[in-house]
Amino acid sequence: MIPTRTLWKNGPEVGSVGLGCMGMTWAYKADEQSETPDHVIGHALDIGVNFIDTADVYGPFTNEEVVGKALGSRRSEVTLATKGGLVSHVGDAGEPIISGPNGHPEHLRTAIDDSLRRLGVDHVDLYYLHRPDPKVPVEDSIGAMSEMVEAGKVGALGVSEFTVEQLDRAQAIHPISAVQSELSLWTREHLATSLAWTVANDAAFVPFSPLGRGFLTGTFRGTAPAADDFRSQLPRFNQENRDANLVIVDAIAAVAAELDATPAQVALAWVLAQGENVVPIPGTRRTSRLDENAGAASVSLSAGQLATLDALPPPAGSR
């Protein structure tokens, strides 16, 4: 079984690597090695990867149904997180289109009820505001979410991609138990800001895309994302930037060779080394990758290896 971490002060004990479920139904192109969500999530629970993350916007609206079905009678084994407050719809060609944030209290009150219905549960353990809404005061959004805690629909509150100033304002309304933001060896701007805030406030820091959307594993060495994979639209994945960013991939691979580990495990081990309150949520459609990611929790980086990784150059291209 995977080693565990306490998710936030006096919070649940979870596997130190979680599972992000977005890619099971949205954004990433499936391949011939993809397995069913039921199989992947079931295997995750079998090996102690019991922090499961989804959102209403993924699909849109289908991911929560898939996760809820996969959990089935094993709901009690899971710390279940979902998110609301980012609006999406299906375009004319069937593609998901994100319209933007909606942090209005009325929207959030409806969103949590819809999420619970799709998941087939009576509560979630953690509910995030998916993005701050510039048109709605943070205090109004968090105030509405605090009502969900009082009603027993939500165990704890989290936020995603908040600034420190927004975190302070949210914390003044209700304790923020988790902050979700992107963190990896090529996305480090949150180390001195929101990650530091979580340490000071006894909250969890939950990195999404800790493997650089797969790039840090070496998957895209000489290979471009498929045209219908959303990574094909990201600046870091155009050919010029991919080529430039191979210096990061090569350095990770060199450390992996020293440890008889995989590049993915080294990239995740670096994320885990940023603090005991850090629980990354890499996504996958394969049980073999799930096992690989879980194995990162047992990879120990030396001080010299950490220094090598810390000294990596910034990536070419915005995220």
Side-chain angles (χ1 to χ4, degrees), residues 10-318:
N10 301 320
E13 189 174 278
V14 298
S16 51
V17 176
L19 177 62
C21 295
M22 180 186 80
M24 292 182 178
T25 63
W26 194 55
Y28 298 123
K29 183 176 176 60
D31 58 34
E32 65 277 2
Q33 294 178 297
S34 297
E35 300 171 53
T36 67
D38 287 10
H39 188 57
V40 174
I41 290 174
H43 183 69
L45 301 187
D46 289 343
I47 64 173
V49 176
N50 61 349
F51 181 35
I52 305 295
D53 181 273
T54 181
D56 58 2
V57 75
Y58 300 157
F61 311 126
T62 56
N63 200 264
E64 290 175 319
E65 293 179 346
V66 165
V67 170
K69 176 178 176 293
L71 292 179
S73 62
R74 303 184 71 175
R75 166 68 180 96
S76 63
E77 300 177 42
V78 172
T79 295
L80 180 60
T82 194
K83 314 175 199 71
L86 191 59
V87 180
S88 179
H89 64 279
V90 177
D92 293 339
E95 76 282 13
I97 298 173
I98 294 180
S99 307
N102 186 344
H104 287 93
E106 316 84 69
H107 171 76
L108 293 171
R109 293 184 186 110
T110 299
I112 184 60
D113 288 339
D114 289 344
S115 287
L116 295 177
R117 173 179 51 78
R118 286 188 290 266
L119 286 162
V121 300
D122 61 5
H123 76 284
V124 292
D125 302 294
L126 176 61
Y127 191 59
Y128 294 96
L129 182 62
H130 207 153
R131 291 291 187 275
D133 186 341
K135 297 179 181 178
V136 179
V138 166
E139 293 80 1
D140 291 356
S141 300
I142 300 301
M145 293 169 67
S146 70
E147 297 170 5
M148 304 170 192
V149 178
E150 294 171 5
K153 297 177 182 180
V154 171
L157 298 186
V159 295
S160 181
E161 297 283 74
F162 266 42
T163 66
V164 168
E165 185 267 341
Q166 290 167 331
L167 287 169
D168 285 337
R169 289 168 56 193
Q171 181 82 345
I173 302 301
H174 189 280
I176 299 302
S177 296
V179 176
Q180 186 172 139
S181 288
E182 187 168 353
L183 175 66
S184 71
L185 277 165
W186 74 351
T187 302
R188 306 188 221 180
E189 54 264 34
H190 295 296
L191 289 174
T193 55
S194 52
L195 174 53
W197 187 94
T198 62
V199 173
N201 288 275
D202 295 319
F205 189 83
V206 181
F208 67 83
S209 299
L211 298 175
R213 306 187 193 279
F215 187 85
L216 302 179
T217 69
T219 298
F220 293 98
R221 185 186 294 278
T223 302
D228 56 353
D229 186 310
F230 97 114
R231 288 170 289 196
S232 65
Q233 306 169 34
L234 303 180
R236 289 185 189 175
F237 283 83
N238 69 39
Q239 183 172 343
E240 181 180 357
N241 289 335
R242 286 200 322 272
D243 291 344
N245 288 326
L246 285 178
V247 66
I248 300 174
V249 174
D250 290 342
I252 295 169
V255 173
E258 294 174 2
L259 293 167
D260 194 24
T262 68
Q265 289 173 332
V266 167
L268 284 171
W270 179 88
V271 171
L272 288 165
Q274 303 312 304
E276 285 297 317
N277 69 322
V278 176
V279 181
I281 49 168
T284 185
R285 288 190 179 100
R286 308 180 199 172
T287 53
S288 61
R289 295 300 189 201
L290 186 62
D291 289 335
E292 180 182 2
N293 293 343
S298 299
V299 172
S300 180
L301 298 171
S302 69
Q305 289 162 340
L306 281 170
T308 295
L309 296 171
D310 289 340
L312 287 173
S318 66

